[in-house]
Amino acid sequence: DAMVIQNPRYQVTQFGKPVTLSCSQTLNHNVMYWYQQKSSQAPKLLFHYYDKDFNNEADTPDNFQSRRPNTSFCFLDIRSPGLGDTAMYLCATSRDRAGNRIITVEQYFGPGTRLTVT
Amino acid sequence: GQQLNQSPQSMFIQEGEDVSMNCTSSSIFNTWLWYKQDPGEGPVLLIALYKAGELTSNGRLTAQFGTTRKDSFLNISASIPSDVGIYFCAGGKKLTFGTGTRLTIIP
């Protein structure tokens, strides 16, 4: 079955120690997203890739970076995690068929990586 | 920025009851999506709405795109234990998520 896969599902890292979360998809979607979801809150968009074009949200901290080496894979790098970065990190994908660069099309989420910073 | 308010914040119902929840936006949307999230998992897309006034069903779930384009509604009929979770509406140009409705089924 086509799907969005995230690894690892659980990650514990120390304060200030860089961490990388990965996402892969077999849907062949051209848009990939990273969201941060803190406990009892809604997902919050960090950034997205439209094909190879990176789009950062204005309020995403510089501490968060992303890489998309190919259509299938996307990585979230947290350079110096703080205690406040403890959260669920969700990857999502969508296909923008119209080419209008509108990202409100249906997004499909992975199972998430729960990150704990100690 | 866009704000989405969902109500109610939480619901406690008995198995077999029908459920209604809604979402309102401070601005006009062209698309409304409804997701369900189980604990420790990612949101799962339930229904997508693309046209004002549209009424769409997915099994026991029915969602409507409000005619004002600023609201949407989700109904669940004859609830079952696996309906437990958090339901999010989402929409807008950058897929803003609503505040969520937590559904609990009382034994």
Side-chain angles (χ1 to χ4, degrees), chain A residues 58-105:
Chain A
D59 56 355
T60 298
D62 292 340
N63 198 26
F64 291 86
Q65 305 285 321
S66 186
R67 296 170 283 137
R68 189 178 186 186
N70 54 52
T71 301
S72 301
F73 285 86
C74 196
F75 299 98
L76 170 62
D77 301 308
I78 309 177
R79 292 189 298 186
S80 181
L83 298 179
D85 296 328
T86 291
M88 172 79 93
Y89 289 87
L90 297 163
C91 174
T93 72
S94 69
R95 177 187 294 280
D96 179 13
R97 297 182 179 87
N100 291 329
R101 306 188 82 86
I102 297 172
I103 67 168
T104 317
V105 295

Side-chain angles (χ1 to χ4, degrees), chain A residues 46-66:
Chain A
L46 294 174
F47 26 60
H48 74 278
Y49 272 95
Y50 191 105
D51 295 323
K52 294 182 180 179
D53 294 338
F54 178 71
N55 298 271
N56 200 31
E57 292 302 297
D59 56 355
T60 298
D62 292 340
N63 198 26
F64 291 86
Q65 305 285 321
S66 186

